[in-house]
Amino acid sequence: MKGALIGCGFFAENQMKAWQSLSEVEVVAVCDPDPARRKHFQTHFGVARTFAEAQILFKQCALDFVDIAAPTPAHESLIRLAADHGVAIICQKPFAGSPERAHTLIQYCLEKGVPLSIHENFRWQYAVREVIRHLRNNEIGMPFFGRISYRNGFDVYKSQPYLAQAERFIIEDLGIHVLDIARALLGDVSRLSCETNRINPDIQGEDVATMMLRHDGGATSIVDCSYATHLTPNPFPQTLIDIDGTRGSLRLTADEKIHIHTRDGCKSHEVIVDAPDWSTPPWTIIQESVVAFQTHWLECHHAGVEADTSGRDNYNTLALVDAAYEAAAHHTVMTPKRWS
Ligand SMILES: NC(=O)c1ccc[n+]([C@@H]2O[C@H](COP(=O)([O-])OP(=O)(O)OC[C@H]3O[C@@H](n4cnc5c(N)ncnc54)[C@H](O)[C@@H]3O)[C@@H](O)[C@H]2O)c1
């Protein structure tokens, strides 16, 4: 599989390293308008060809796929270009910027017969995959309550300074992942309410959000995120999960353990991540999830089926983000849009 990485910024390094760990993939080119970033990728990762413009990349390279790690405003033109060239697309979150634009682009790719997947990696974290496995094994019965919680005081602005300027911050950047985990665990959402807060005075957007979701199957969940919560040890970048089911309860705790409580007592096991040899704490669980997502994407591509986090699937996550901002702005309960 010959691929190109479009956008050579902070997070693209993880995508690049993960592709290089998968033997059947070769990233033959990278594209970024910033010459220093292109040079960095060429020097550090030995990428054969670099391009400042995606138009020229597509003209000159025969590609099986592109991995778009450029910021959201660049998604529309890059996705149309890739689809016009019949090249399979992976695109970073937050995809397209709005459900309306996402809808148009998903439709465009469907018409061109080009598979579109979203790099939504949090549900591919090993601990989250383990929780999903326990639920599918019916170990706690039918879930009726969930809490999916991401709270820490990590200085996220250091590696991603643009986040301090974003008018929509934690829900769009991070909550999107946590909402996606809620969907992966408990299914699609029929109603949502949300309250937000800005604790850090030096940023533009909200850095705290608390959402309540009603899922189609009847479960309710709380999705809460904060970058203003100071804890020792700092749990960054862990997502903690509580699920209550009709026969038992599951807890994914900050000490990286899963506990299954039933009437018969509690069984616990550690969640031991198979850390990539290039991983760098505290990012290890995120970096492993990038490899897991890419491995899943390859399997789906070969099988000719959509990835779990396809454009269509991600539309419903994106719609939750949109609904959360609407709910917070108007202090109301929203019915999120749904792909149909
Ligand atoms: N999935 C995750 O866990 C995760 C984590 C961090 C960031 N992200 C996402 O990754 C994306 C990039 O974030 P980042 O922190 O790496 O940003 P960044 O600013 O460090 O990097 C973005 C790069 O894209 C380049 N770029 C801009 N327009 C381009 C275009 N039209 N064509 C090609 N390259 C272009 C920029 O020059 C820059 O080098 C964002 O959408 C962000 O939300 C995802």
Side-chain angles (χ1 to χ4, degrees), residues 190-212:
S190 48
R191 284 196 297 279
L192 180 151
S193 58
C194 172
E195 294 291 337
T196 61
N197 231 329
R198 178 162 59 91
I199 304 303
N200 182 341
D202 300 327
I203 64 168
Q204 297 297 312
E206 83 290 352
D207 52 1
V208 174
T210 309
M211 294 165 261
M212 188 169 101

Side-chain angles (χ1 to χ4, degrees), residues 32-336:
D32 196 301
D34 181 339
R37 295 308 301 172
R38 295 200 297 277
K39 180 93 185 135
H40 176 76
F41 268 59
Q42 196 161 37
T43 316
H44 281 79
F45 303 116
V47 180
R49 306 187 68 183
T50 68
F51 295 87
E53 277 180 46
Q55 292 265 14
I56 305 174
L57 162 79
F58 283 105
K59 235 180 233 166
Q60 296 194 2
C61 290
L63 300 169
D64 298 308
F65 75 96
V66 282
D67 193 6
I68 299 172
T72 304
H75 290 175
E76 175 150 18
S77 61
L78 293 171
I79 284 174
R80 287 183 187 276
L81 202 53
D84 290 344
H85 286 80
V87 174
I89 302 162
I90 304 170
C91 183
Q92 259 294 353
K93 49 59 67 174
F95 166 52
S98 73
E100 291 73 24
R101 224 166 301 141
H103 196 283
T104 309
L105 293 177
I106 295 164
Q107 202 63 48
Y108 194 75
C109 291
L110 286 171
E111 282 158 20
K112 297 276 175 178
V114 165
L116 169 66
S117 311
I118 308 304
H119 184 113
E120 176 42 78
N121 52 317
F122 268 44
R123 70 161 85 169
W124 292 102
Q125 285 176 26
Y126 183 65
V128 177
R129 293 181 345 250
E130 279 291 281
V131 173
I132 292 172
R133 184 178 64 80
H134 285 294
L135 295 188
R136 287 192 184 150
N137 285 348
N138 199 23
E139 290 172 45
I140 60 164
M142 175 72 88
F144 62 85
F145 174 81
R147 179 177 176 203
I148 303 103
S149 179
Y150 179 100
R151 312 187 79 79
N152 60 67
F154 185 72
D155 182 6
V156 69
Y157 318 103
K158 199 169 160 195
S159 48
Q160 296 170 272
Y162 57 89
L163 293 176
Q165 307 308 322
E167 269 178 42
R168 287 179 159 198
F169 167 36
I170 202 167
I171 302 174
E172 187 167 274
D173 182 69
L174 184 279
I176 194 168
H177 293 301
V178 191
L179 288 164
D180 190 71
I181 292 176
R183 285 187 56 236
L185 298 177
L186 299 169
D188 270 318
V189 174
S190 48
R191 284 196 297 279
L192 180 151
S193 58
C194 172
E195 294 291 337
T196 61
N197 231 329
R198 178 162 59 91
I199 304 303
N200 182 341
D202 300 327
I203 64 168
Q204 297 297 312
E206 83 290 352
D207 52 1
V208 174
T210 309
M211 294 165 261
M212 188 169 101
L213 284 55
R214 174 82 176 186
H215 297 264
D216 286 355
T220 48
S221 67
I222 302 293
V223 169
D224 60 289
C225 1
S226 164
Y227 272 124
T229 300
H230 302 288
L231 294 167
T232 305
N234 187 345
F236 175 85
Q238 284 177 287
T239 302
L240 307 184
I241 298 175
D242 298 349
I243 306 282
D244 291 352
T246 48
R247 289 197 295 111
S249 299
L250 178 152
R251 299 289 182 266
L252 168 61
T253 47
D255 55 358
E256 297 176 333
K257 286 191 177 142
I258 288 179
H259 311 272
I260 306 279
H261 302 262
T262 63
R263 282 182 206 283
D264 302 328
C266 176
K267 283 185 193 158
S268 305
H269 71 87
E270 250 181 278
V271 179
I272 299 166
V273 176
D274 188 9
D277 55 10
W278 48 269
S279 63
T280 44
W283 294 95
T284 308
I285 61 172
I286 302 277
Q287 290 163 328
E288 191 272 342
S289 75
V290 174
V291 180
F293 163 70
Q294 292 178 348
T295 304
H296 167 74
W297 181 84
L298 279 172
E299 283 166 7
C300 292
H301 190 78
H302 292 317
V305 297
E306 280 196 326
D308 287 3
T309 54
S310 65
R312 284 194 269 203
D313 177 85
N314 195 256
Y315 178 88
N316 289 355
T317 295
L318 207 57
L320 299 188
V321 170
D322 214 46
Y325 282 111
E326 280 294 309
H330 303 291
H331 304 289
T332 187
V333 179
M334 297 294 297
T335 301

